[in-house]
Amino acid sequence: MTNCHPQLETLVKQAATEAGFDWAGIAPAPPAELRELAFFPGWIAAGRAGEMAYLEARDAQGRLKRASLDHVAPWARSVIVCALNYNTAQPYSTECRDPRRGWVSRYAWGGAEKPADYHDVVMERLRRVEARLRAAVGDPQLQTRCYVDTGPVVERVFAKYAGLGWLAKNTCLINQQLGSWLFLGVILTSLELAPGLPPPDRCGSCTRCLDACPTQAFPAPYQLDATRCISYLTIEKRGTIAEELRPGMGRHVFGCDICQDVCPWNRHAPATSLPEFQPRPEFFHPDLEWLATLSEEEFRRAFRGSPLRRAKRSGLRRNAVIAMGNSGDARFLPLLKKLAGDEDPVVAEHSAWARERLGDHSERVPSRGGRSQG
Ligand code: SF4
Ligand code: SF4
């Protein structure tokens, strides 16, 4: 299908603004230059994705779905990219000095005034843009498909080709005005729409993000070893976390923002007033003791509709125990002693490690070789 409505690009951008997006643009599908996706099979083969099996999804021919749109939507001619700012006017999570509290990634703080998973918040807006487009085109043959985060597409790459920003040394997409606190959603369409232009890379000689990463997760600029990244370790990794990585995790219990916090392009990033993204106190700086002792019932109730549930109860308890070990606060020792006998062997082993880190060397339970099981 070719574009017989030159005003459609304008309509799409207008519809996106009216739906509440902060930015929208159009990328060709597939991008003329696939340099950013060419790395993907090698990155997967090197095990950089860890346990994130969804990244390794393959089609019937055994091709990685995320490596090319041709594999999953050969009919797609354009990708509409929409961005929603989730930054709120709050300090960095690591600025919380209370050793009894953990750090949570900015994107997962939300739900204070209105509980909502960000996937739903973005998808609901995408559907409005999609409906406007379909109504304007009026052709039942028109193909469209919306994705937020979980689709077989690398949204950041299309966002770059839509003109939203550049793929930075910390591997995030950065917009010169909005910074990098952005949720992305895409609409694949069989329409040929006029694409945007990728902006220049504005990282220059800066290396702040690379230098600040506490677990040395960047083997080189523009490359991330997800298996060393605190976001992966606290959210996606199940079971034991390698001992060598635990001290660098600090009091992070869900995600990590450090390589974005230090980025100069986020210094003046605008803040949103969307009620869905205003922080919930218990997610903003959660009480570590509360997290480590969560019952199944409490976990289900407290994290319904929150991104934090992705870490699962066992993962959040494990992360809280590591954070206690890194807190320097010996008041956690009695609880850690109790948790060292926890019915969850992962919580028990990490509690023993945390006790030792806090200076209690009695009853040390050795971990399984100190290596990740993944
Ligand atoms: S999110 Fe944290 S751990 Fe991951 S690369 Fe950035 S600074 Fe490093
Ligand atoms: S901190 Fe510096 S190098 Fe890293 S993404 Fe920001 S501008 Fe680029």
Side-chain angles (χ1 to χ4, degrees), residues 59-111:
D59 65 9
Q61 284 76 46
R63 300 172 304 184
L64 285 165
K65 286 186 176 179
R66 286 187 162 233
S68 171
L69 263 194
D70 284 346
H71 302 174
V72 286
W75 46 265
R77 293 292 168 270
S78 308
V79 181
I80 299 164
V81 181
C82 299
L84 189 62
N85 175 22
Y86 64 82
N87 183 37
T88 49
Q90 300 292 341
Y92 301 146
S93 57
T94 49
E95 284 178 49
C96 170
R97 299 285 173 220
D98 181 349
R100 315 280 299 171
R101 298 191 171 271
W103 303 326
V104 170
S105 194
R106 186 165 291 256
Y107 81 87
W109 294 347

Side-chain angles (χ1 to χ4, degrees), residues 68-310:
S68 171
L69 263 194
D70 284 346
H71 302 174
V72 286
W75 46 265
R77 293 292 168 270
S78 308
V79 181
I80 299 164
V81 181
C82 299
L84 189 62
N85 175 22
Y86 64 82
N87 183 37
T88 49
Q90 300 292 341
Y92 301 146
S93 57
T94 49
E95 284 178 49
C96 170
R97 299 285 173 220
D98 181 349
R100 315 280 299 171
R101 298 191 171 271
W103 303 326
V104 170
S105 194
R106 186 165 291 256
Y107 81 87
W109 294 347
E113 296 168 34
K114 196 172 166 188
D117 186 308
Y118 73 87
H119 296 94
D120 301 333
V121 177
V122 178
M123 183 58 88
E124 189 259 327
R125 285 167 168 74
L126 277 186
R127 295 265 187 241
R128 280 195 254 162
V129 179
E130 181 188 36
R132 283 280 298 279
L133 180 67
R134 296 194 74 91
V137 173
D139 180 351
Q141 301 296 313
L142 173 68
Q143 298 205 57
T144 54
R145 200 181 290 167
C146 300
Y147 289 117
V148 181
D149 226 14
T150 49
V153 289
V154 185
E155 287 96 343
R156 286 175 299 127
V157 173
F158 292 104
K160 170 185 167 176
Y161 284 96
L164 172 55
W166 71 98
L167 295 173
K169 289 181 189 174
N170 64 4
T171 73
C172 294
L173 183 111
I174 301 181
N175 176 277
Q176 200 178 352
Q177 278 81 39
L178 298 170
S180 65
W181 310 113
L182 300 169
F183 290 132
L184 299 177
V186 297
I187 306 172
L188 313 186
T189 169
S190 53
L191 279 171
E192 272 177 22
L193 299 169
L197 274 178
D201 183 328
R202 297 182 193 276
C203 281
S205 58
C206 175
T207 57
R208 282 170 192 241
C209 53
L210 312 179
D211 302 337
C213 177
T215 50
Q216 294 82 46
F218 297 110
Y222 306 100
Q223 287 181 32
L224 177 70
D225 179 354
T227 62
R228 295 188 68 87
C229 174
I230 296 166
S231 287
Y232 165 79
L233 295 172
T234 53
I235 301 171
E236 308 287 345
K237 177 82 179 78
R238 306 287 172 240
T240 304
I241 290 177
E243 281 193 26
E244 75 198 58
L245 297 173
R246 294 180 201 173
M249 290 170 66
R251 297 205 312 280
H252 288 102
V253 290
F254 187 90
C256 166
D257 288 335
I258 288 177
C259 58
Q260 296 186 81
D261 288 347
V262 299
C263 180
W265 293 102
N266 278 335
R267 216 175 277 152
H268 304 294
T272 178
S273 53
L274 266 189
E276 289 92 336
F277 298 155
Q278 302 312 309
R280 265 172 78 163
E282 67 270 40
F283 295 173
F284 188 25
H285 287 130
D287 183 89
L288 291 175
E289 190 170 332
W290 171 68
L291 268 191
T293 56
L294 273 176
S295 69
E296 272 295 348
E297 173 53 27
E298 271 178 307
F299 172 76
R300 266 197 302 274
R301 194 163 15 91
F303 297 105
R304 190 174 295 134
S306 160
L308 277 99
R309 75 185 185 286
R310 188 171 175 86

